[in-house]
Amino acid sequence: MRAIRVDGYGGPEVLVPVELPDPVPGPGEVLVRAEAVDTIFVETQIRGGWGESFGIHPPYVPGGAAAGTVVAVGEGVDPGLRGRRMVAAPGTRGTYAELVRVPVEFLVPVPDGLEAAEAAALAHDGVTGSGIVEGIGIEAGERVLILGAAGGMGTLLVQFAVAAGAYVVGAARGERKLALIRELGADLAVDYAEPGWTEAVGGPVDVLLDGVGGELGLAGFGLVRDGGRVSAHGAPSGGFTALDPARAQRRGIALRGIAEVQYPPEEITRLAGFALAEAAAGRLRPVIARRFPLAEAARAHRAMEGREIPGKALLIP
């Protein structure tokens, strides 16, 4: 099979197409022929040298989610799964490949009417986005600020907050991304590359959903009213928001971090199933900006690192 392998940490050029033996599913596993492979920003950071923190060491095949069709099953697995369209949910390893071994506990059925690309685009971000919104609790009439609102998960968070009846402020970089945020229903779109962007938010917010981290996350935290709620779950700017829990406690702010979006398999599949069902019902739309051939994974990583993509980038084997 064709796959992408990383033999040593480095820039996008270390994502090298290779031919590998076809994998064989072990006990409790299935083999999925991938039709669309999810990508997320953290994979660029792992490739760039963060892998040790995630227990990922070269050589390795990147990727943690995909969608496709079950083509073989291992010992102890229902043979009726063959031919079923499935998402290999987060927790799966080595999905930058044509064939992927998937533990059955990470399988989520793809609803009728949903394309494999749409399902793959929701594999990571649908889980995390659904879990964030469920955990933070957005109420009608609240002011919600979303940082990184034009990213794969940010676009989902905008839609969830709009559906909840909140006043939604989406923050991103550049007019192309701001236009997308407005198209998704946000009441206000703010460019955080502009000086004084916090003033453009128009006052305190009840909820901050921080998918960016770093200095932007700290600036966003300063806008949260006393007694508000914060989810600091993203680090594309180079580090998770270094929020002081004591400061948040003094202000009565409920603070959720990256630990709160680490889920066991049963929660991953539940949240993925919810996101897929919402998309199949037309209530949630993953924004797929670019589809790259699997062999061009390096181009996909360059585009993500260059902040070129509003929404999702997928790999197509």
Side-chain angles (χ1 to χ4, degrees):
M1 69 169 184
R2 289 174 293 178
I4 299 296
R5 189 172 65 198
V6 172
D7 289 329
Y9 299 131
E13 69 280 357
V14 303
L15 294 162
V16 178
V18 294
E19 289 284 339
L20 297 176
D22 288 356
V24 176
E29 296 180 334
V30 305
L31 192 65
V32 169
R33 182 171 296 281
E35 297 167 30
V37 177
D38 190 21
T39 67
I40 55 174
F41 192 87
V42 73
E43 289 165 356
T44 71
Q45 296 169 313
I46 291 170
R47 183 217 72 227
W50 284 25
E52 302 290 336
S53 301
F54 290 85
I56 298 174
H57 312 281
Y60 71 94
V61 174
T69 301
V70 176
V71 294
V73 301
E75 181 184 344
V77 178
D78 179 6
L81 289 177
R82 290 193 191 94
R84 294 282 303 277
R85 299 168 66 238
M86 291 284 181
V87 166
T92 308
R93 289 287 184 94
T95 62
Y96 282 26
E98 292 180 313
L99 295 168
V100 180
R101 289 170 53 191
V102 187
V104 290
E105 61 264 34
F106 291 114
L107 285 177
V108 184
V110 177
D112 292 341
L114 206 61
E115 294 181 359
E118 296 171 304
L122 290 165
H124 276 108
D125 295 332
V127 169
T128 308
S130 298
I132 287 169
V133 170
E134 185 178 279
I136 209 82
I138 298 173
E139 299 179 5
E142 290 190 310
R143 285 174 53 86
V144 177
L145 172 60
I146 303 170
L147 303 186
M153 185 165 61
T155 53
L156 301 182
L157 292 176
V158 168
Q159 294 174 71
F160 281 133
V162 168
Y167 181 93
V168 180
V169 182
R173 192 183 306 269
E175 182 52 40
R176 181 184 176 198
K177 293 182 178 180
L178 299 185
L180 172 59
I181 293 167
R182 288 189 287 265
E183 177 192 333
L184 293 172
D187 298 279
L188 182 63
V190 173
D191 191 334
Y192 49 41
E194 297 292 332
W197 71 269
T198 54
E199 296 177 10
V201 172
V205 299
D206 301 288
V207 176
L208 169 65
L209 305 180
D210 175 18
V212 175
E215 292 301 318
L216 290 170
L218 287 172
F221 180 76
L223 294 171
V224 181
R225 67 166 178 83
D226 291 355
R229 306 182 305 286
V230 173
S231 174
H233 51 265
S237 64
F240 292 103
T241 302
L243 297 179
D244 179 0
R247 179 185 172 198
Q249 186 175 22
R250 285 194 300 272
R251 296 182 54 204
I253 293 174
L255 178 60
R256 296 170 61 86
I258 191 65
E260 279 71 36
V261 293
Q262 307 305 305
Y263 304 111
E266 61 271 18
E267 276 296 279
I268 289 173
T269 53
R270 180 184 70 83
L271 292 167
F274 170 76
L276 292 170
E278 289 295 288
R283 292 187 292 267
L284 188 66
R285 175 171 70 90
V287 177
I288 302 171
R290 297 280 299 277
R291 306 182 193 212
F292 295 87
L294 177 65
E296 297 181 10
R299 282 185 59 210
H301 275 220
R302 287 190 187 96
M304 287 192 287
E305 290 177 312
R307 310 298 198 271
E308 298 173 15
I309 298 176
K312 293 293 298 184
L314 298 178
L315 301 178
I316 308 300

